[in-house]
Amino acid sequence: MEVCRKTANGLDGTELRLGLPGGGLEGDVVKNSAANGKRGFEEIVDFKLKFSPKGTCTNYMDQSDEKVVKISPKDKKFLPCSNDPPKPPSKAQVVGWPPVRSFRKNILAVQKSSDEEREKKIGSNNPVFVKVSVDGAPYLRKVDLKMYKSYQELSGALGNMFRFFTMGNCGSQGMKDFMNESKLMDLLSGSDYVPTYEDKDGDWMLVGDVPWEMFVHSCKRLRIMKGKEAIGLAPRAMEKCKNRT
Amino acid sequence: MREDRPPPPPSRGGAYSPPPPDQVLENVLEHVLQFLTFRRDRNAAALVCRSWHRAEALTRSELFIGNCYAVAPRRAMERFRRATAVTIKGKPRFADFNLMPPDWGANFTPWVTSMAQCYRALEKLCLKRMFVTDEDLELLASFPSFRELVLICCDGFGTSGLAVVASKCRKLRVLDLIEDEVTDDEIDWISCFPEGETCLESLIFDCVECPIYFEALERLVARSPSLKKLKLNRYVSIVQLYRLMIRAPQLTHLGTGSFSPSEIVAQGDQEPDYSSAFDACRSLVCLSGFREIVPDYLPAIYPVCANLTSLNFYGEACFLCLQVLDTVRDAGLQAVGATCKDLRELRVFPIDAREDSEAPVSDVGLLAISEGCRKLQSILYFCQRMTNAAVIAMSENCPELVVFRLCIMGRHLPDHVTREPMDEGFGAIVKNCKKLTRLATSGLLTDRAFSYIGQYGKLVRTLSVAFAGDSDTGLKYVLEGCPRLQKLEIRDSPFGDSALRSGLYRYYNMRFLWMSSCRLTRRGCKEIAQQMPHLVVEMINGEEEEVKEDYVDTLYMYRSLDGPRADAPSFVTIL
């Protein structure tokens, strides 16, 4: 019988794996079909052997005899050894035990930021990543807004990334331009691309609208639109500006 | 190009002069060394003398970095200038179980940056437990010969990065994403593969939790005549699977996606003939997936089961590797034991991975497997109840065991029949399984178990210990025994500074030591750091607090040629 080479995940070439919905164990696992009256594994494969499924071992441990220890997740001290008297059987779950990889590694997954999480992140030195999409570009980028101190810096970085996009005038003069309605119109119809962002309220705004710090707090994602499309945003931008002053 | 060899002496009078003898020898050596493939053999060859060291370095095409922090990228790449395949491992394994805070490190960026200069001809890359960004993938995609990307348990990237790889790597043959954390950037990356025939041989993306545009996938499969391995994610329904299978009857490995119909199936539509689709895939040897099994469709795979295995009529078993859920119960394992006589590897996972769940497999199943599958080499077995007798039986019945990982899910559980610790069972495994290289323990274990392991575990390289032992003596047995120990990971066991000190002489010969929630003090760890300058001793705090005066949360230490890393986050203290 040939021995198959191990693949990268250590499994030989001839294997059968049965999967689980959303299962992320070190392999895939089958849904508990017995629970819903669906067929279990032994009915899937066509056994020609006669055997009667034996009942599970009845000689299992009495619950009260289990030597279990109630562990709170924060308790990292050493656990008692076998000489301790048996504790009541209730078990709090311990981090990372049993050692089965969870489907979503909660800690490591990129979480959708809630507002509080964003606030916490912005308060500390943690990065604030937002997605940047450019109309017509095949893929998104992510930028860390904390890396920049002004619109100018952001513009420079995005310019490097996408190379064909210009934010026009930014900085305080640029902001003033944005606040000046007629100049805004010139700017929009002139440039090819215009940066916009989605703020906390879900509105799409022109970048440069608000002071930088406020922008970092409220920006959820960036979208570099074609100039023509952004024209419709200008009046709303003006409204919001007026409301804020 | 022999850039680091002295130039040959000038020839005289314009006539041909043969190369000097040592250069001939070096040429011969290099030709011969091409045939050395095993890493350990190459490492040994490199130690013979300087010219062998040089020749070996120039002929090594596969570079393996077991710990990304053990050596700086530049140093590795300057020694092995001609490597075209690189494997790098990052985080320690216990990071998989949430025992390490995020952002710990293992960043791929410094590696790919060096590769962009030193390894432009890179062809293959395999990363395990590394943090890989979309920008890293983009840079990788710019290497002109790049053709194989395997990412295992990695995170930090999203479908944006996949899109760039798909669109820019014109020679891509393998794109295997195995248990990665992939963010959904709402990019249809499957559509980014270029038009026209592709060289794709393997496309594995069952871990990618993002919807895909099926028509694009179907077209991709249709124009990939070399495709042998295809593992789909759960967003592919059984109807869609059918369409793919009829386009790719040459598949050898298939991961079936959800294996259930999506909601969009119209009423009264003719149901596809799944059986014949499976039947048409004559070469299938590996079948996985079935994420949302609808059992009505299962008969479709019967024809394939016949190819995959002869769990059946004739008693020959082609199954070499089997992964199942414990819902098969002991009875199912008895059937496996009765029929899969050639089984090499078995993994039994818990459907309900909690300590106090009802587990339908036990010592009975283990015993049955051991009696039936005498050629077993590797086993991973989750259960709630176990006996020494069953484990001893396995040690006697399965002498070929190389990997024995038993997880009795309840902590500190003894033999459920005799109420004794599981010492004798694990002792028998190390005594009788002379080829054992990897061992994971569980259940109630005293120091005696570790004395067995230390004494008899002559080839053990990887040892995982959790909630075990009585005192420092236990760990001392291991550190003073087990001559081949490379990777030691321990959690929640009563081992302290004195035990840690006893291993001082050997830490340079190990890849790493992990100890979390044990009885180590900061002072004890600092002593080690002071005495072993080439060891990086990291103290990792679980919560972002001040360092406590009592026990250290986590100690992770490893040898390094280039000193402590510069990218350690705030919760890591390098002593």
Side-chain angles (χ1 to χ4, degrees):
Chain A
M1 180 67 61
E2 64 179 1
V3 177
C4 296
R5 277 179 312 123
K6 285 203 180 290
T7 58
N9 59 355
L11 297 169
D12 280 338
T14 305
E15 58 167 297
L16 175 65
R17 291 155 73 207
L18 306 176
L20 175 78
L25 308 184
E26 288 177 80
D28 302 318
V29 287
V30 102
K31 188 166 182 161
N32 185 356
S33 47
N36 332 14
K38 297 176 184 166
R39 290 180 289 175
F41 175 87
E42 58 266 31
E43 293 167 286
I44 295 170
V45 279
D46 195 8
F47 295 130
K48 289 296 187 186
L49 307 161
K50 295 240 183 286
F51 69 93
S52 48
K54 296 185 174 62
T56 50
C57 181
T58 52
N59 190 13
Y60 58 87
M61 239 162 48
D62 201 351
Q63 284 289 342
S64 58
D65 283 350
E66 282 177 356
K67 292 190 172 44
V68 300
V69 180
K70 191 169 175 188
I71 299 277
S72 73
K74 292 217 192 303
D75 183 350
K76 295 190 176 141
K77 298 238 163 78
F78 140 71
L79 302 164
C81 68
S82 53
N83 291 332
D84 279 14
K87 300 263 167 43
S90 66
K91 295 187 193 192
Q93 299 303 315
V94 173
V95 173
W97 188 263
V100 172
R101 285 164 49 86
S102 49
F103 170 58
R104 284 204 184 285
K105 291 186 282 182
N106 297 325
I107 293 173
L108 297 178
V110 173
Q111 288 148 341
K112 306 244 185 293
S113 297
S114 64
D115 280 338
E116 302 107 8
E117 276 175 20
R118 282 187 61 83
E119 289 309 311
K120 206 169 66 168
K121 275 187 186 174
I122 290 163
S124 67
N125 281 327
N126 289 329
V128 175
F129 284 106
V130 296
K131 294 183 190 174
V132 184
S133 63
V134 177
D135 288 359
Y139 48 84
L140 300 179
R141 298 287 188 145
K142 280 180 279 223
V143 288
D144 172 12
L145 292 180
K146 289 283 221 160
M147 302 256 295
Y148 313 107
K149 298 194 198 59
S150 68
Y151 286 114
Q152 202 111 33
E153 285 185 22
L154 178 64
S155 171
L158 290 177
N160 284 338
M161 270 188 212
F162 290 108
R163 271 184 223 120
F164 47 78
F165 130 77
T166 51
M167 222 155 125
N169 258 340
C170 277
S172 53
Q173 183 55 43
M175 274 165 59
K176 288 192 187 127
D177 284 350
F178 275 121
M179 292 183 51
N180 179 325
E181 200 158 340
S182 58
K183 277 211 173 167
L184 187 59
M185 286 307 169
D186 287 344
L187 205 69
L188 289 177
S189 42
S191 65
D192 291 332
Y193 287 88
V194 169
T196 64
Y197 70 100
E198 184 182 2
D199 72 1
K200 269 194 293 205
D201 307 328
D203 293 329
W204 284 93
M205 310 285 291
L206 291 174
V207 172
D209 199 13
V210 297
W212 174 255
E213 284 303 326
M214 201 184 299
F215 169 71
V216 172
H217 272 76
S218 60
C219 171
K220 272 175 39 186
R221 57 186 295 174
L222 279 161
R223 179 179 160 199
I224 318 298
M225 284 186 188
K226 290 225 187 320
K228 303 279 188 300
E229 286 184 39
I231 286 179
L233 290 181
R236 244 190 320 155
M238 298 309 304
E239 261 321 296
K240 277 215 169 183
C241 277
K242 284 171 193 156
N243 289 341
R244 284 204 175 96
T245 49
Chain B
M1 223 187 9
R2 313 271 183 260
E3 53 271 325
D4 45 352
R5 176 177 300 155
S11 57
R12 293 172 196 170
Y16 166 76
S17 57
D22 51 336
Q23 194 167 333
V24 170
L25 257 165
E26 285 223 33
N27 291 347
V28 170
L29 190 59
E30 283 188 23
H31 281 295
V32 169
L33 287 178
Q34 311 266 10
F35 294 100
L36 265 189
T37 45
F38 292 118
R39 196 164 77 235
R40 262 166 248 160
D41 292 340
R42 286 194 152 266
N43 292 344
L47 292 175
V48 170
C49 64
R50 226 175 247 234
S51 72
W52 279 56
H53 190 275
R54 195 165 51 221
E56 192 284 311
L58 289 173
T59 55
R60 191 181 291 218
S61 59
E62 294 178 5
L63 179 59
F64 175 85
I65 308 284
N67 175 3
C68 63
Y69 288 122
V71 63
R74 192 52 75 126
R75 181 197 283 250
M77 293 181 207
E78 279 173 3
R79 176 173 167 190
F80 301 107
R81 288 169 195 266
R82 305 231 191 113
T84 54
V86 177
T87 299
I88 308 174
K89 295 188 174 183
K91 296 176 206 166
R93 197 178 70 97
F94 274 7
D96 288 353
F97 312 123
N98 296 352
L99 289 183
M100 180 182 257
D103 310 328
W104 172 81
N107 299 303
F108 180 52
T109 305
W111 288 90
V112 71
T113 312
S114 289
M115 286 174 180
Q117 297 181 346
C118 306
Y119 283 174
R120 289 298 305 179
L122 189 71
E123 295 175 8
K124 305 183 191 182
L125 181 67
C126 176
L127 301 178
K128 188 166 187 181
R129 294 196 189 95
M130 297 282 294
F131 186 82
V132 183
T133 65
D134 291 328
E135 285 71 26
D136 295 337
L137 292 177
E138 191 180 357
L139 187 49
L140 210 55
S142 72
F143 294 4
S145 312
F146 192 66
R147 51 182 227 223
E148 264 188 43
L149 180 62
V150 178
L151 298 176
I152 307 171
C153 303
C154 295
D155 65 311
F157 63 99
T159 47
S160 303
L162 297 181
V164 180
V165 170
S167 67
K168 284 168 90 180
C169 293
R170 295 287 152 152
K171 299 191 182 169
L172 197 66
R173 296 192 199 175
V174 172
L175 180 58
D176 289 352
L177 304 166
I178 299 166
E179 297 189 35
D180 304 304
E181 196 74 44
V182 182
T183 55
D184 185 359
D185 299 325
E186 292 154 34
I187 294 279
D188 177 26
W189 59 282
I190 296 277
S191 307
C192 295
F193 283 94
E195 289 303 317
E197 217 172 79
T198 75
C199 334
L200 273 179
E201 294 172 11
S202 175
L203 180 62
I204 296 179
F205 64 97
D206 51 340
C207 64
V208 180
E209 285 293 305
C210 317
I212 53 155
Y213 179 42
F214 178 73
E215 277 69 29
L217 177 63
E218 193 177 13
R219 284 198 298 273
L220 178 65
V221 170
R223 64 182 195 276
S224 303
S226 311
L227 193 65
K228 292 281 194 290
K229 298 186 187 184
L230 179 63
K231 297 198 181 181
L232 309 164
N233 68 13
R234 64 184 176 90
Y235 289 90
V236 179
S237 71
I238 190 171
V239 176
Q240 293 170 333
L241 171 68
Y242 170 80
R243 282 161 62 176
L244 291 176
M245 287 176 73
I246 56 179
R247 288 201 179 276
Q250 78 281 6
L251 288 176
T252 59
H253 294 64
L254 178 65
T256 59
S258 72
F259 213 65
S260 74
S262 61
E263 287 79 26
I264 319 171
V265 173
Q267 301 286 9
D269 270 358
Q270 184 78 18
E271 281 246 293
D273 185 356
Y274 297 115
S275 290
S276 54
F278 273 95
D279 201 30
C281 290
R282 292 271 151 189
S283 327
L284 267 186
V285 293
C286 167
L287 196 59
S288 63
F290 305 101
R291 289 242 176 144
E292 291 161 20
I293 267 189
V294 173
D296 298 336
Y297 294 107
L298 284 174
I301 68 167
Y302 285 1
V304 178
C305 277
N307 292 343
L308 290 177
T309 171
S310 308
L311 270 191
N312 65 7
F313 327 86
Y314 313 114
E316 314 148 25
C318 298
F319 259 163
L320 294 185
C321 170
L322 183 62
Q323 282 197 149
V324 296
L325 247 202
D326 62 2
T327 44
V328 304
R329 312 186 82 86
D330 283 332
L333 293 177
Q334 285 168 329
V336 170
T339 53
C340 298
K341 296 300 181 192
D342 286 313
L343 194 66
R344 300 283 196 266
E345 182 173 343
L346 174 68
R347 295 185 183 193
V348 181
F349 289 101
I351 181 111
D352 185 359
R354 287 175 304 135
E355 286 187 61
D356 42 3
S357 59
E358 271 297 306
V361 301
S362 68
D363 50 290
V364 173
L366 191 73
L367 184 62
I369 293 288
S370 77
E371 285 171 349
C373 309
R374 298 298 175 110
K375 301 187 190 173
L376 198 64
Q377 291 173 349
S378 170
I379 183 163
L380 169 61
Y381 196 88
F382 284 85
C383 61
Q384 288 284 7
R385 304 185 294 281
M386 189 46 59
T387 61
N388 282 306
V391 179
I392 292 170
M394 175 156 271
S395 77
E396 290 166 352
N397 294 333
C398 305
E400 301 295 311
L401 273 178
V402 172
V403 173
F404 183 79
R405 297 160 69 192
L406 176 63
C407 181
I408 305 167
M409 292 194 282
R411 288 166 280 133
H412 312 290
L413 286 186
D415 178 320
H416 76 91
V417 171
T418 66
R419 306 306 170 92
E420 299 205 334
M422 293 298 299
D423 297 345
E424 296 308 315
F426 283 100
I429 290 286
V430 284
K431 274 182 217 165
N432 299 333
C433 303
K434 310 258 195 269
K435 302 185 183 179
L436 196 76
T437 60
R438 183 171 178 185
L439 180 66
T441 65
S442 60
L444 181 66
L445 293 175
T446 70
D447 289 343
R448 179 188 285 267
F450 297 103
S451 80
Y452 291 144
I453 294 171
Q455 188 179 357
Y456 297 106
K458 298 272 175 17
L459 298 182
V460 171
R461 286 171 39 92
T462 306
L463 179 62
S464 301
V465 174
F467 304 101
D470 301 321
S471 69
D472 281 1
T473 313
L475 181 54
K476 284 185 188 175
Y477 282 134
V478 171
L479 290 173
E480 290 166 3
C482 294
R484 298 283 172 95
L485 193 62
Q486 286 288 302
K487 300 183 262 183
L488 181 55
E489 45 191 28
I490 303 173
R491 64 167 294 183
D492 294 278
S493 300
F495 305 137
D497 298 340
S498 156
L500 190 66
R501 217 173 298 125
S502 70
L504 215 53
Y505 77 98
R506 70 177 311 173
Y507 292 137
Y508 283 159
N509 291 329
M510 287 173 61
R511 192 182 294 174
F512 71 78
L513 170 65
W514 167 290
M515 288 178 68
S516 59
S517 305
C518 296
R519 307 191 92 181
L520 300 173
T521 67
R522 189 193 168 108
R523 198 165 40 85
C525 297
K526 191 131 183 89
E527 253 185 67
I528 304 290
Q530 281 163 347
Q531 299 201 35
M532 314 274 294
H534 293 295
L535 214 56
V536 176
V537 180
E538 294 195 13
M539 275 178 22
I540 304 170
N541 275 343
E543 295 118 32
E544 297 194 31
E545 299 170 2
E546 305 261 318
V547 175
K548 296 183 280 216
E549 280 314 309
D550 54 4
Y551 301 130
V552 164
D553 282 340
T554 299
L555 166 73
Y556 178 54
M557 67 188 202
Y558 49 89
R559 63 189 169 193
S560 173
L561 292 174
D562 289 298
R565 58 192 176 111
D567 62 356
S570 55
F571 52 83
V572 170
T573 309
I574 298 184
L575 296 172

Coordinates of all heavy atoms in Angstrom, one line a residue, chain B residues 11-17:
Chain B
S11 N 45.5 32.2 -15.8 CA 46.1 31.1 -16.6 C 47.4 31.7 -17.2 O 47.6 32.9 -17.4 CB 45.1 30.7 -17.7 OG 44.7 31.8 -18.4
R12 N 48.2 30.8 -17.6 CA 49.6 31.2 -18.1 C 49.6 31.1 -19.7 O 49.2 30.1 -20.2 CB 50.6 30.3 -17.6 CG 50.8 30.4 -16.1 CD 51.7 29.4 -15.5 NE 51.5 29.4 -14.1 CZ 52.0 28.6 -13.3 NH1 52.7 27.6 -13.8 NH2 51.8 28.6 -12.0
G13 N 50.1 32.1 -20.3 CA 50.3 32.1 -21.7 C 49.1 31.9 -22.5 O 49.2 31.4 -23.7
G14 N 47.9 32.2 -22.0 CA 46.8 32.0 -22.8 C 46.3 30.6 -23.0 O 45.2 30.4 -23.5
A15 N 47.1 29.6 -22.6 CA 46.6 28.2 -22.8 C 45.6 27.9 -21.8 O 45.5 28.5 -20.7 CB 47.8 27.3 -22.7
Y16 N 44.8 26.9 -22.1 CA 43.8 26.4 -21.1 C 44.5 25.8 -19.9 O 45.4 25.0 -20.0 CB 42.9 25.4 -21.7 CG 42.1 24.6 -20.7 CD1 40.9 25.2 -20.2 CD2 42.4 23.3 -20.3 CE1 40.2 24.5 -19.2 CE2 41.7 22.7 -19.4 CZ 40.5 23.3 -18.8 OH 39.8 22.6 -17.9
S17 N 44.1 26.3 -18.7 CA 44.7 25.6 -17.5 C 43.5 25.1 -16.7 O 42.5 25.8 -16.5 CB 45.5 26.5 -16.7 OG 44.8 27.7 -16.3

